[in-house]
Amino acid sequence: MFESLLFDLMLVVLIGILSQWIAWRFRMPAIVVMSVAGLLIGPVLGVINPQESMGELFSPIITFAVALILFEGSLNLDFREIRGFNKPVLRIVTVGAFIAWIAGSLAAHYVAGLSLSVAFIIGGLFIVTGPTVIMPLLRQAKLKPRPAAILKWEGIVVDPFGALLAVFAFESIRFFNNEVTLKAFSLFFAASIFAVFVGVAIALIVGRSFERGGVPEFLKSPVLFAVVIFTFVLTDEIMQQTGLLAVTAMGMTMANMRLSSLADIRHFKENITVLLISSIFVMLTASLSSEVLLAIFSWKIILFVVVMLFIVRPLSIWVSTMGTELTAKEKTLIGWIAPRGIVALTVSGYFATILEEQGYRDADVLIALTFALVFSTVIIHGFTIGPLAKRLNLTTTDESGVLIVGGSQFAAEFAKSVKDTGNKVRIIDRNWASLAHARKYEIDVHIGNILTEQHNYDLDLTPYRFMLAMTRSDQYNSHVCEDFIPTLGREHLYQTNVHINDGTATSASTMGGHILFTPATSIRELEDRIKSGHVIRKTLITKQYSYTQYLRERDDKSILLYILRADKSIEFFSPEVELQAQAGDAVITLSSPIKTIERVKDRLEEENGHTEVPIEKIEELFVK
């Protein structure tokens, strides 16, 4: 109906972001939804064909997007993250990648029926997983730190090497077929080393310029955006496919420079990356022809996918990680998860064209073969990573860890009480100064914005069953809870009561999470109470001192915070849920210091020969 490039671009972006939202809303792997959406508007319904409408712009757009996505992913490769298990990571990205290349090439030759030359080219490409497919799956599955970090690092580090390996195989074939000289063959290695050097050098120059104030804050993200494109194009023009290696080296270097402005830069690039991943994957799948889709159902291609899933990938992981500290369960999970994505599709399309021009008749099968592997792994791994991780006990446990969003004096006192129960607790805030009280109590803290994608990389959410939003912004608290409903479930999300100046109540159903504490109290009032001397008190419930008796005798001005069960699990008080404490449980409250003051008064009077001490003096001393 609307045959224009502008309409196609609009529809691609709209469908991509809508796919992301559907995946978030219904707790589905985003990459699966995007693949299905692209197929529906492309070869199935024939609404658009981006490759035809964009013409010569199609390939550069895809290439630029992959470079930016890979750079943003490599910005998360902080070497401190793999401290303690760098050995398996190194083994997987070297020995494992080599085994996967050889085994995948043999499978492509003997199972899919490709010539040995074409098989070794595509086998090198199929070692890639990539951040475009791994990151969405990790966000869904919430794995334990070690397997999640290994999969992430493999996806980002191997991604450019897969493309380079395919180029290396292609150049090797041309060399052995006397199509190029030894000098030209050696030039490939020199160009790769040069690409790494350029990436590192530019990262150091830009990073130091940022730190010394050479670039104003409002220009840092645009400057970095332009520099990434420049670095990629410069190296890629010298030797094709080395640009990916250059931007990866650039990102890794900046990630380990400890730049103070990196968090804000990441935030900008995360938003760009989400948009690019959504749009590019829809573009690629919508551009597939019906002939390619029909070719996917060839028994040779199906058998090839099965071999790659159940033989090649597990073999490469189990062999490469022999003698490392990885457990059998971790090897099983990592050996199963290897979805292929954008890099595999784009580079295979490039080689299909080049090889056809070189006279390789079986090159026309490459796109169908690649898409079959990409779509199969995305679908199968997308739906199985969560259940398999749970079955292997490599995902969230039932611990009562608490993640508090919002630093304050009350948050620090509250976190200290949780820490004293033996449960894990951490406070996250965007402001370092807001975490001063928490640091004084040696509470784990994290500086950052929980609403950005970066929290999935820098912050391990696995130990935390509950998230409590306690910032002074009620709107932000609601956004936090809404954002994490698909991940944690609403039953584990809480926020402090909305601050209403006129004292009117707010319906809890309009909020993202459950309202905290009984009675519902805003963070401002909680802060005021802490500053006026209120304390967090623990009261043990016994057979002799029942919960009913406790409620009858407690200070009616106290606030019920949570119940510490006998098994050390935690349940938070909320106006929406009525809790009952049993013998062996403990009730944690925020109470006025009256009883404490009375005990201090009795002790001082006893020490002073029963001379009466004015209670005002004790209150003044207590507050100090």
Side-chain angles (χ1 to χ4, degrees):
M1 183 170 62
F2 299 101
E3 296 183 359
S4 71
L5 177 58
L6 190 61
F7 174 79
D8 287 0
L9 286 172
M10 177 277 299
L11 189 61
V12 163
V13 173
L14 181 64
I15 294 296
I17 296 302
L18 181 62
S19 299
Q20 290 274 10
W21 182 84
I22 292 173
W24 168 83
R25 184 66 182 82
F26 297 100
R27 305 180 71 173
M28 298 172 63
I31 201 76
V32 173
V33 181
M34 290 186 290
S35 299
V36 173
L39 290 176
L40 285 176
I41 65 171
V44 175
L45 299 178
V47 178
I48 61 170
N49 187 325
Q51 189 169 11
E52 288 183 1
S53 60
M54 296 180 187
E56 294 183 356
L57 288 175
F58 183 80
S59 182
I61 290 174
I62 298 291
T63 304
F64 281 163
V66 172
L68 288 168
I69 291 166
L70 202 56
F71 173 75
E72 194 277 331
S74 61
L75 274 179
N76 302 300
L77 297 182
D78 191 331
F79 290 116
R80 292 174 296 180
E81 184 182 2
I82 59 169
R83 191 174 297 158
F85 53 93
N86 53 353
K87 185 178 179 180
V89 172
L90 183 62
R91 289 275 197 89
I92 289 173
V93 301
T94 53
V95 178
F98 179 77
I99 294 173
W101 175 36
I102 300 302
S105 300
L106 294 176
H109 176 62
Y110 291 105
V111 178
L114 299 180
S115 64
L116 204 56
S117 299
V118 176
F120 269 92
I121 293 174
I122 203 67
L125 182 60
F126 284 163
I127 70 170
V128 305
T129 52
T132 59
V133 282
I134 281 294
M135 296 307 185
L137 296 191
L138 295 182
R139 282 195 289 270
Q140 297 286 337
K142 198 180 179 185
L143 303 180
K144 287 186 176 179
R146 187 158 69 182
I150 290 173
L151 286 170
K152 181 182 80 174
W153 273 72
E154 181 198 13
I156 297 173
V157 173
V158 174
D159 217 34
F161 287 111
L164 282 173
L165 198 56
V167 175
F168 168 72
F170 177 64
E171 295 295 333
S172 300
I173 290 169
R174 295 180 66 198
F175 173 71
F176 287 116
N177 289 340
N178 296 319
E179 296 176 16
V180 295
T181 63
L182 179 61
K183 181 179 179 181
F185 185 56
S186 302
L187 184 62
F188 166 75
F189 294 98
S192 300
I193 296 172
F194 176 74
V196 173
F197 172 79
V198 169
V200 172
I202 291 179
L204 292 174
I205 294 171
V206 173
R208 288 172 181 170
S209 177
F210 283 2
E211 289 297 279
R212 293 171 181 173
V215 180
E217 287 297 324
F218 77 97
L219 275 180
K220 285 184 177 179
S221 292
V223 164
L224 192 58
F225 184 92
V227 170
V228 170
I229 297 297
F230 167 77
T231 305
F232 172 77
V233 173
L234 174 66
T235 52
D236 211 59
E237 285 295 313
I238 295 173
M239 175 63 72
Q240 204 149 20
Q241 304 305 327
T242 59
L244 297 179
L245 188 60
V247 296
T248 301
M250 181 180 172
M252 289 180 66
T253 303
M254 296 190 71
N256 290 276
M257 289 178 68
R258 316 287 187 262
L259 301 177
S260 59
S261 58
L262 196 59
D264 294 333
I265 294 171
R266 279 172 173 165
H267 189 194
F268 169 78
K269 296 194 73 62
E270 285 158 11
N271 295 332
I272 295 294
T273 300
V274 170
L275 181 64
L276 289 175
I277 290 176
S278 307
S279 304
I280 298 306
F281 215 86
V282 171
M283 284 175 57
L284 288 170
T285 51
S287 298
L288 294 173
S289 65
S290 55
E291 290 78 11
V292 171
L293 290 180
L294 291 175
I296 290 173
F297 297 100
S298 162
W299 71 267
K300 287 185 177 181
I301 292 181
I302 293 174
L303 185 58
F304 169 77
V305 171
V306 171
V307 171
M308 292 293 290
L309 285 172
F310 293 97
I311 298 178
V312 174
R313 173 64 178 182
L315 177 69
S316 66
I317 295 300
W318 280 84
V319 173
S320 64
T321 57
M322 290 176 61
T324 66
E325 63 270 27
L326 291 187
T327 65
K329 290 182 177 181
E330 289 172 329
K331 292 179 182 179
T332 300
L333 179 67
I334 297 170
W336 171 245
I337 302 301
R340 277 68 170 187
I342 290 177
V343 172
L345 277 175
T346 54
V347 180
S348 69
Y350 163 77
F351 275 111
T353 302
I354 295 298
L355 290 172
E356 283 180 2
E357 292 176 355
Q358 295 286 332
Y360 293 91
R361 288 177 293 178
D362 53 347
D364 58 348
V365 185
L366 288 186
I367 296 179
L369 192 70
T370 306
F371 185 75
L373 185 63
V374 169
F375 195 70
S376 299
T377 53
V378 162
I379 295 288
I380 295 172
H381 294 155
F383 282 109
T384 59
I385 184 172
L388 179 60
K390 290 179 180 178
R391 184 72 178 269
L392 296 173
N393 195 28
L394 294 176
T395 186
T396 308
T397 64
D398 292 329
E399 295 175 350
S400 292
V402 180
L403 182 64
I404 300 171
V405 182
S408 64
Q409 187 175 350
F410 170 77
E413 298 287 349
F414 183 85
K416 183 178 181 299
S417 74
V418 174
K419 182 180 178 182
D420 291 341
T421 68
N423 286 295
K424 193 171 181 65
V425 64
R426 175 174 283 190
I427 302 178
I428 178 172
D429 194 281
R430 291 171 288 183
N431 192 334
W432 174 258
S434 299
L435 300 169
H437 293 286
R439 295 196 303 272
K440 182 179 68 175
Y441 290 135
E442 297 183 345
I443 304 295
D444 288 339
V445 298
H446 181 85
I447 303 173
N449 185 353
I450 195 70
L451 291 179
T452 69
E453 293 295 323
Q454 188 60 35
H455 71 260
N456 287 292
Y457 313 139
D458 287 351
L459 183 63
D460 175 26
L461 299 177
T462 304
Y464 308 108
R465 188 182 186 191
F466 299 101
M467 182 177 290
L468 313 183
M470 294 185 180
T471 72
R472 295 178 70 86
S473 170
D474 300 317
Q475 185 179 22
Y476 185 81
N477 293 340
S478 298
H479 286 327
V480 168
C481 292
E482 286 286 351
D483 200 54
F484 280 87
I485 286 176
T487 305
L488 296 176
R490 189 171 184 269
E491 67 274 15
H492 297 141
L493 295 166
Y494 293 83
Q495 63 189 98
T496 48
N497 196 32
V498 172
H499 178 70
I500 305 295
N501 291 328
D502 61 5
T504 56
T506 300
S507 172
S509 63
T510 65
M511 310 304 294
H514 295 292
I515 300 299
L516 272 170
F517 311 141
T518 303
T521 313
S522 71
I523 188 62
R524 292 169 177 81
E525 184 177 346
L526 292 167
E527 276 287 279
D528 290 341
R529 291 203 181 198
I530 285 290
K531 290 176 181 177
S532 66
H534 286 226
V535 295
I536 294 180
R537 192 188 306 279
K538 175 181 176 182
T539 304
L540 184 65
I541 303 301
T542 65
K543 291 181 179 179
Q544 292 75 27
Y545 187 63
S546 67
Y547 181 58
T548 303
Q549 183 180 355
Y550 164 77
L551 291 178
R552 186 170 58 249
E553 297 179 358
R554 79 182 179 95
D555 179 7
D556 58 359
K557 293 183 179 180
S558 65
I559 299 174
L560 298 171
L561 302 179
Y562 62 90
I563 293 178
L564 177 64
R565 298 297 183 185
D567 62 358
K568 302 301 181 183
S569 63
I570 289 176
E571 292 184 37
F572 294 98
F573 282 101
S574 172
E576 303 169 49
V577 180
E578 185 176 349
L579 298 182
Q580 293 291 329
Q582 309 297 327
D585 297 341
V587 181
I588 314 299
T589 59
L590 179 64
S591 305
S592 113
I594 293 175
K595 292 184 179 180
T596 303
I597 291 173
E598 290 176 349
R599 286 197 296 268
V600 173
K601 180 177 183 294
D602 292 340
R603 189 175 70 249
L604 289 176
E605 288 178 351
E606 185 178 347
E607 292 175 355
N608 294 332
H610 299 285
T611 302
E612 184 174 353
V613 179
I615 196 166
E616 292 81 6
K617 292 287 185 182
I618 301 173
E619 288 179 343
E620 189 177 315
L621 178 65
F622 187 83
V623 172
K624 288 181 181 178

